[in-house]
């Protein structure tokens, strides 16, 4: 039995010394020390020995097991190191190779224009307001002097949430006029940009979701001349000195008198094309003097204070600012288009 133990030890140590991979080491562990291993098989024969031989062989067997276990630990550590070295060699990274460049995003052309408009108005002493896109009909229509029965309140024109038409997606940022007049001290100079929603068909200049900027001034002695002067200043700062505008009489329930302001078509220079529908001009905004009924409804004495308001479409402003011929390009997220800006 002593010879058998010594042979097992010698064979095991030689095999472990030659083992290259961790799985090879594990296989040898099972072969020699497992439940059905060679050393275990010899130990099962201990019962055949005499009482004098048993402790001597038992001590020798324990030494053989200890030597094999130590050799397994060393072989396993060496195999792990070889595997790691091989992996590091295979996955070596040359840190001197330039990395792949990361594309850095930039502002959407529409928000570039929005920031320019904000800067212009803040420079004039205006403050910027934000308001809810899901609005009450009272603020979107009634308090703006747009009573029941007005075409703008029809289900064919407006996205409603409730059967009684009391909650809707706002059709304009004009409700912020009322909210400002109800909560802010006089005088008031504010703009309110944001998304608005109307049931418009998509074409080169229309979308069911678009962005609007509402402007409002309330003070003593405000006139229509102040409105025209402010808007012309804004247009020239956006599009350059000498930009041509025209003001046309119009009707809005919440302003009196009312007007629409057009900017000469950037695509055709006033000759007429598909962008301006042959007119040579593109409607840019609606405006007017705040209706006395709206002022009084917000607790402002219309005999002392007056004011003007406007609502401008941000997308159309961006079209003119960057000479874009189709509003749909702004919403299609085509990277080939957007990277031009």
């Amino acid at each position: 039995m002593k010879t058998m133990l010594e042979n097992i030890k010698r064979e095991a140590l030689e095999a472990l010394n030659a083992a290259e991979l961790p799985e090879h080491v594990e296989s040898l562990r099972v072969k020699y020390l497992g439940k059905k291993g060679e050393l275990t098989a010899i130990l099962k024969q201990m019962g055949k020995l005499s009482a004098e031989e048993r402790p001597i062989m038992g001590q020798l067997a324990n030494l053989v097991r200890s030597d094999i276990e130590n050799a397994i630990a060393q072989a396993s550590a060496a195999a792990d190191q070889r595997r790691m070295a091989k992996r590091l060699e295979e996955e070596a990274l040359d840190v001197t190779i330039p990395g792949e460049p990361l594309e850095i995003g930039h502002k959407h052309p529409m928000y570039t224009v929005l920031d320019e408009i904000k800067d212009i108005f803040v420079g004039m002493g205006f403050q910027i307001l934000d308001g809810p896109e899901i609005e009450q009909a009272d603020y979107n229509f009634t308090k703006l002097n747009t009573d029941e029965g007005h075409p703008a309140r029809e289900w064919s024109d407006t996205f409603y949430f409730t059967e009684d038409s009391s909650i809707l997606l706002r059709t304009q940022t004009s409700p912020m006029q009322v909210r400002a007049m109800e909560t802010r001290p006089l005088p008031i100079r504010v703009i309110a940009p944001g998304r608005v929603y109307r049931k418009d068909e998509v074409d080169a200049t229309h979308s069911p979701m678009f962005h609007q900027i509402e402007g409002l001034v309330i003070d003593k002695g405000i006139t229509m001349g102040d409105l025209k002067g402010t808007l012309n200043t804004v247009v020239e700062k956006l599009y350059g000195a000498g930009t041509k505008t025209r003001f046309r009489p119009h009707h809005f329930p919440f302003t009196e008198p009312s007007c629409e302001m057009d900017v000469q078509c950037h695509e055709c220079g006033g000759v007429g094309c598909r962008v301006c529908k042959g007119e040579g001009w593109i409607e840019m905004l609606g405006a007017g003097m705040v209706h006395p009924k709206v002022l009084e409804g917000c607790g402002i004495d219309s005999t002392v204070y007056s004011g003007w308001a406007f609502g401008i479409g941000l997308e159309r402003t961006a079209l003119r600012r960057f000479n874009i011929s189709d509003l749909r390009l702004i919403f299609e997220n085509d990277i080939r288009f957007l990277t031009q800006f």
Side-chain angles (χ1 to χ4, degrees):
M1 181 174 285
K2 178 180 178 182
T3 302
M4 295 173 64
L5 288 171
E6 291 176 346
N7 288 338
I8 288 174
K9 175 182 175 181
R10 176 176 50 78
E11 292 174 1
L13 295 180
E14 289 177 355
L16 287 166
N17 188 52
E20 293 289 335
L21 301 175
E23 50 266 33
H24 295 164
V25 177
E26 175 61 17
S27 176
L28 291 171
R29 185 195 67 78
V30 173
K31 178 180 179 181
Y32 291 104
L33 302 182
K35 290 183 179 181
K36 297 181 180 180
E38 294 184 14
L39 181 59
T40 304
I42 291 177
L43 293 177
K44 289 180 180 179
Q45 301 177 26
M46 293 285 288
K48 299 178 181 179
L49 300 176
S50 65
E52 293 80 10
E53 294 177 318
R54 206 173 292 150
I56 297 172
M57 290 299 104
Q59 184 178 10
L60 179 59
N62 287 335
L63 290 173
V64 169
R65 175 183 289 277
S66 178
D67 289 342
I68 293 175
E69 287 177 343
N70 289 335
I72 287 173
Q74 293 174 9
S76 179
D80 286 340
Q81 289 179 354
R82 283 193 293 271
R83 172 169 282 183
M84 178 59 71
K86 182 179 179 182
R87 182 178 176 184
L88 290 173
E89 182 180 355
E90 292 174 348
E91 300 179 5
L93 176 64
D94 185 353
V95 296
T96 65
I97 297 176
E100 294 184 4
L102 296 177
E103 292 189 13
I104 299 176
H106 56 84
K107 282 193 296 188
H108 192 283
M110 187 175 65
Y111 287 101
T112 297
V113 174
L114 175 59
D115 287 343
E116 290 175 354
I117 292 174
K118 287 180 178 179
D119 287 343
I120 293 169
F121 278 100
V122 168
M124 294 179 176
F126 284 68
Q127 294 179 305
I128 301 171
L129 302 183
D130 188 23
E133 294 179 25
I134 298 177
E135 186 58 274
Q136 302 174 43
D138 278 351
Y139 281 94
N140 197 83
F141 293 123
T142 308
K143 292 185 177 184
L144 289 166
N145 200 33
T146 307
D147 296 325
E148 293 284 351
H150 191 281
R153 301 185 71 150
E154 295 294 328
W155 279 73
S156 58
D157 285 349
T158 301
F159 296 100
Y160 287 101
F161 286 98
T162 56
E163 291 293 331
D164 64 357
S165 304
S166 61
I167 305 295
L168 64 148
L169 285 172
R170 65 183 179 186
T171 63
Q172 53 201 356
T173 51
S174 300
M176 289 307 297
Q177 282 190 43
V178 179
R179 294 181 181 277
M181 288 187 283
E182 286 182 341
T183 60
R184 302 180 76 85
L186 295 170
I188 297 171
R189 285 173 176 79
V190 296
I191 60 169
R195 283 185 291 267
V196 298
Y197 306 85
R198 298 179 189 174
K199 291 184 178 179
D200 288 335
E201 294 296 327
V202 176
D203 62 23
T205 55
H206 293 84
S207 170
M209 187 284 293
F210 58 100
H211 295 74
Q212 192 179 63
I213 303 173
E214 185 79 14
L216 174 70
V217 169
I218 304 292
D219 204 344
K220 296 177 180 178
I222 298 297
T223 69
M224 195 76 172
D226 299 316
L227 168 64
K228 293 182 68 175
T230 301
L231 293 179
N232 278 328
T233 298
V234 172
V235 167
E236 289 204 343
K237 284 184 175 292
L238 277 175
Y239 304 142
T243 301
K244 294 182 179 180
T245 63
R246 71 177 184 182
F247 291 81
R248 296 178 286 105
H250 199 70
H251 169 72
F252 297 109
F254 39 86
T255 53
E256 180 61 36
S258 303
C259 67
E260 285 189 336
M261 187 185 81
D262 302 331
V263 177
Q264 192 174 76
C265 178
H266 57 278
E267 188 74 7
C268 65
V271 176
C273 66
R274 71 176 186 88
V275 176
C276 60
K277 296 181 172 61
E279 295 184 6
W281 298 85
I282 295 177
E283 175 191 334
M284 188 171 179
L285 58 86
M289 301 299 294
V290 179
H291 199 292
K293 187 175 179 179
V294 175
L295 292 173
E296 296 291 344
C298 295
I300 297 175
D301 188 345
S302 61
T303 64
V304 177
Y305 290 94
S306 59
W308 53 254
F310 72 85
I312 181 173
L314 183 57
E315 284 81 0
R316 292 190 183 184
T317 308
L319 293 185
R320 178 65 176 79
R321 171 69 174 77
F322 291 112
N323 292 328
I324 301 170
S325 61
D326 196 318
L327 180 142
R328 288 167 290 194
L329 292 169
I330 290 179
F331 296 113
E332 289 174 349
N333 293 325
D334 188 329
I335 196 69
R336 297 169 299 177
F337 168 74
L338 294 177
T339 49
Q340 299 178 66
F341 307 98

